[in-house]
Amino acid sequence: MVIHALLAASLAVTSLPATTSQAKIDCARVKCLALTFDDGPGATTPAVLKALKQAGAKATFFLVGKQVEQRPEIAAQVVAQGHAIGNHTYSHASLPTLLDNQILDELKTTQEAVQQATGRTPTLFRPPYGHTDDRVLGLAYQVDLAQVLWTGTTLDWKLRDAEKIKAAVLRLAKRNGVILMHDTVPATAKAMPGIVKELKKRGYHLVTVPTLLGGKGPEPGESYP
Ligand code: NI
């Protein structure tokens, strides 16, 4: 019965257009993994998008407001390809060091920049450097944002080597995991075709964070995973 359902689910997924396939993936039934990309959009984001598209994979991009203003067309491309987007603050600030109104300003100006560039308002945010606390979470609630952290960080910005980054992703990959990478790191973009190929070979469905959460979120003011 379970195998039958799995088979039916995978058939349904492959037979639908890429943009609508995510809704059909049930991560309670199949092995899912969420790749997430922070700090863009940047010069190497299109290469990451290309690798995801070729693999029929979806991901989540946490966008920096200032970067969105500089490359609005790439932000729009992220959304057009069916990926999820999140708020990564306007200036990549360490939020707990700021006053309440400054934190709200970081979040709100980014919501506006993303809305203007993509027509979408994010429901997710990721605090830069993972720096967060209950006050940040309370303020995120006011802006209708759920917090998304990660289960594994590749430290791709430090590795700066495609083979090492691929090895890190494969080591960190686990069912329902959330992997932190950066679409602004050239070696990450270079590693992506090999990463998605190997993850798919290992049976992972590469999904957005909302798909990973299924019906269990995202709820504003809550933190995931
Ligand atoms: Ni960041």
Side-chain angles (χ1 to χ4, degrees):
M1 184 59 190
V2 171
I3 289 172
H4 193 95
L6 283 176
L7 188 62
S10 68
L11 285 174
V13 164
T14 49
S15 62
L16 283 166
T19 47
T20 59
S21 64
Q22 287 279 295
K24 301 291 174 188
I25 299 177
D26 180 357
C27 295
R29 292 186 172 275
V30 300
K31 191 168 137 183
C32 287
L33 180 69
L35 298 181
T36 65
F37 297 92
D38 289 9
D39 296 2
T44 52
T45 305
V48 172
L49 289 174
K50 189 179 168 193
L52 290 168
K53 192 177 185 178
Q54 282 175 345
K58 299 297 178 212
T60 305
F61 290 77
F62 290 92
L63 309 171
V64 171
K66 204 193 293 184
Q67 296 299 118
V68 172
E69 287 179 353
Q70 281 172 20
R71 293 185 167 90
E73 69 291 343
I74 300 179
Q77 207 185 333
V78 170
V79 169
Q81 287 193 19
H83 303 295
I85 47 167
N87 182 323
H88 196 45
T89 78
Y90 187 79
S91 67
H92 205 267
S94 174
L95 295 176
T97 66
L98 303 181
L99 300 170
D100 285 11
N101 66 325
Q102 292 173 315
I103 293 172
L104 288 171
D105 197 49
E106 283 281 343
L107 296 174
K108 285 179 179 174
T109 50
T110 305
Q111 293 294 84
E112 284 159 18
V114 173
Q115 165 66 34
Q116 197 163 9
T118 71
R120 295 276 178 85
T121 304
T123 58
L124 313 171
F125 92 104
R126 175 173 279 162
Y129 318 103
H131 293 175
T132 188
D133 56 22
D134 286 346
R135 186 171 63 99
V136 169
L137 212 49
L139 294 166
Y141 175 77
Q142 289 183 28
V143 191
D144 286 329
L145 289 167
Q147 177 171 274
V148 178
L149 300 175
W150 53 82
T151 63
T153 175
T154 55
L155 300 177
D156 55 349
W157 53 273
K158 201 152 92 179
L159 293 173
R160 286 177 295 179
D161 175 278
E163 279 309 310
K164 286 180 187 167
I165 292 166
K166 182 183 169 187
V169 173
L170 297 176
R171 190 181 68 244
L172 297 165
K174 60 174 186 177
R175 186 169 181 176
N176 295 332
V178 178
I179 306 293
L180 168 58
M181 306 168 79
H182 296 85
D183 48 319
T184 51
V185 172
T188 295
K190 194 178 161 199
M192 275 302 290
I195 288 171
V196 289
K197 189 179 168 193
E198 185 59 32
L199 288 173
K200 287 182 80 178
K201 203 168 119 190
R202 296 185 184 192
Y204 286 105
H205 287 70
L206 301 179
V207 300
T208 66
V209 168
T211 298
L212 190 74
L213 296 175
K216 298 188 284 288
E219 293 290 335
E222 293 296 317
S223 188
Y224 305 88

